[in-house]
Amino acid sequence: MNRRSFLTSSSLVISGLSLSPFVSSVYFNENSLGMSQKAKQAIINALPNAFRYPDDARSKLINELGKEFKLSDKHISLGNGSSETIQAAVQYVANKAQKEGKAIQLIVPDPTFNYAELYAEPLGVKIVKIPVDKTLAFDLETMQKKAQEFDGISMVYLCNPNNPTAMLTPTAALTHWIKSAKENVFFIIDEAYAEFVSTPEFTSAITLVEAGYKNLIVARTFSKIYALAGLRVGYGVAVPDVVADVDVFVSIDNTNTAGAVAALASLKDKAYVEYSRKSIDVSRQMVVDVLKELDIEYAPSHANFIFHKVKGDVKTYQNRMKDANIMVGREFPPALGWSRLTLGTPEEMRYFVTTLKAFRTKGWI
Ligand code: PLP
């Protein structure tokens, strides 16, 4: 189930549990700390002029993003959330294939965030899912082989760190593939959680855009560390030609004034980002400690969620957690027996730790 179908099928569940502080905060990897005070103030300040179209706020944000990556505003494609950036990128490649009379496929690891697939499917794009290996790492070799064997255009969607595992794909392997890929392969690199990564081993694929590579777009978002999920601001970073091609498929004025000014203020509020990252580091360590203590297997997390093994049926575990007012993720086949936990505030995680220990006492985990 994805977020769209979850919302339509579970509105009763959501309203029924709306008293819990955990329901909305720990399910879709949002930042429970909420947005920066500077972002809130920016929205208030912008309201008197919100009767105008958002061009000014949008161009200031685009400009700042260009500067942030030492690129230009022509390297930035704003999205109504990075979901729209992914959608537009998929449409751009599908359209290119159609115009050139070529076949098209989308190669995705499995499990991963499924929006590229959801947007590609209705366009008649063939979806090729490559299961992660035993260690939950992407099987880049098989993905690469699928692209090489294909007589047509391949889109490759890679989420780094991956959702739901929170694991990183080694930069060297990823970079090598992108650099050596033939012209008929286009990469959508989803870095929705990149701001949470603190290991020096990670290098953003934006460096490849800086180096002038034309075969990728990097999707980023203000929904996660910046805590603006409800305001819907995301963006793509690519070389100007690609941005121009992708922008054809985004809705005009796709970012509203409130979202744009909040994103701009958040981007400049480095202290807030640092505070959020540190808070997640503390929360992650608390969860890692309890998982170790209870001898529960987990994947190395580089994001604001962690993937861990559960005993028995994941649905039962999810329901029991729900009864304790903790919303944990569903099972993500083919990673059977694993559950994704969004890392909330340290206070929320203290409650999770206590609950997990109580589950162990009952023999549930
Ligand atoms: N990419 C990944 C990996 C995600 O997990 C999400 C949201 O959960 C998104 C993209 C979409 O985020 P948004 O459209 O809010 O920017």
Side-chain angles (χ1 to χ4, degrees):
M1 184 182 282
N2 58 64
R3 208 176 61 83
R4 192 185 269 166
S5 48
F6 173 85
L7 291 176
T8 47
S9 71
S10 313
S11 54
L12 280 178
V13 177
I14 288 179
S15 58
L17 290 173
S18 61
L19 289 179
S20 161
F22 301 100
V23 172
S24 59
S25 60
V26 300
Y27 202 78
F28 295 117
N29 302 335
E30 295 98 335
N31 178 352
S32 310
L33 293 172
M35 72 181 77
S36 132
Q37 285 306 320
K38 291 187 176 158
K40 283 187 194 161
Q41 193 55 51
I43 295 171
I44 293 167
N45 296 347
L47 283 179
N49 271 324
F51 67 95
R52 297 205 184 278
Y53 281 106
D55 303 59
D56 188 41
R58 281 168 49 83
S59 41
K60 281 187 180 136
L61 176 60
I62 291 173
N63 203 268
E64 192 64 27
L65 283 167
K67 279 201 258 167
E68 174 82 8
F69 299 111
K70 299 188 178 57
L71 294 166
S72 76
D73 50 1
K74 294 200 164 40
H75 289 83
I76 308 295
S77 165
L78 277 195
N80 187 245
S82 58
S83 309
E84 193 191 22
T85 304
I86 295 167
Q87 180 183 29
V90 165
Q91 286 181 345
Y92 149 62
V93 186
N95 184 256
K96 184 169 145 63
Q98 194 189 28
K99 280 199 297 204
E100 294 174 9
K102 291 183 178 154
I104 174 139
Q105 66 174 3
L106 169 70
I107 304 174
V108 288
D110 194 24
T112 196
F113 185 67
N114 65 353
Y115 280 21
E117 194 186 318
L118 289 179
Y119 291 130
E121 213 165 22
L123 301 174
V125 176
K126 178 181 161 202
I127 316 284
V128 180
K129 291 185 180 206
I130 306 298
V132 293
D133 69 16
K134 272 194 232 120
T135 67
L136 301 176
F138 290 170
D139 180 357
L140 289 185
E141 215 175 291
T142 306
M143 296 178 87
Q144 209 165 339
K145 201 160 150 268
K146 290 283 175 195
Q148 274 161 2
E149 283 168 357
F150 190 62
D151 183 16
I153 297 182
S154 295
M155 282 184 263
V156 180
Y157 169 84
L158 293 169
C159 183
N160 198 27
N162 189 27
N163 180 4
T165 63
M167 283 168 57
L168 284 175
T169 294
T171 300
L174 194 62
T175 306
H176 179 260
W177 185 11
I178 296 172
K179 284 187 173 176
S180 62
K182 293 227 177 80
E183 269 186 4
N184 62 346
V185 185
F186 186 83
F187 296 85
I188 301 170
I189 307 294
D190 187 342
E191 294 187 353
Y193 300 96
E195 294 88 354
F196 291 105
V197 182
S198 42
T199 168
E201 282 158 33
F202 170 77
T203 306
S204 167
I206 292 175
T207 52
L208 294 172
V209 176
E210 283 166 18
Y213 283 89
K214 297 186 168 98
N215 57 347
L216 78 155
I217 185 163
V218 183
R220 290 274 185 117
T221 184
F222 282 93
S223 298
K224 307 301 175 181
I225 207 162
Y226 297 104
L228 300 181
L231 292 176
R232 316 301 303 125
V233 191
Y235 57 99
V237 186
V239 297
D241 283 352
V242 171
V243 164
D245 286 340
V246 168
D247 270 349
V248 170
F249 294 97
V250 300
S251 114
I252 293 166
D253 288 338
N254 60 359
T255 318
N256 66 56
T257 300
V261 296
L264 181 62
S266 306
L267 196 61
K268 290 181 174 171
D269 193 352
K270 305 289 179 205
Y272 173 78
V273 176
E274 197 47 37
Y275 167 63
S276 289
R277 191 182 300 113
K278 288 213 166 110
S279 171
I280 289 298
D281 286 348
V282 171
S283 293
R284 186 189 298 109
Q285 196 56 51
M286 289 167 71
V287 175
V288 164
D289 287 348
V290 73
L291 293 172
K292 275 189 184 156
E293 185 186 325
L294 302 180
D295 204 17
I296 296 171
E297 193 182 346
Y298 62 92
S301 161
H302 294 276
N304 62 338
F305 51 95
I306 187 162
F307 211 42
H308 69 85
K309 268 268 166 95
V310 301
K311 188 169 142 186
D313 178 44
V314 176
K315 188 74 199 155
T316 304
Y317 172 76
Q318 194 183 21
N319 287 337
R320 285 173 172 159
M321 278 289 171
K322 200 197 277 176
D323 290 342
N325 282 342
I326 299 176
M327 300 290 281
V328 298
R330 60 166 172 90
E331 193 163 53
F332 290 85
L336 299 177
W338 291 81
S339 171
R340 186 191 68 192
L341 172 75
T342 298
L343 299 168
T345 62
E347 193 194 344
E348 287 170 334
M349 291 305 105
R350 204 163 296 126
Y351 177 65
F352 171 79
V353 167
T354 311
T355 308
L356 199 73
K357 284 185 178 172
F359 275 28
R360 172 55 61 87
T361 311
K362 290 175 182 156
W364 290 352
I365 186 87

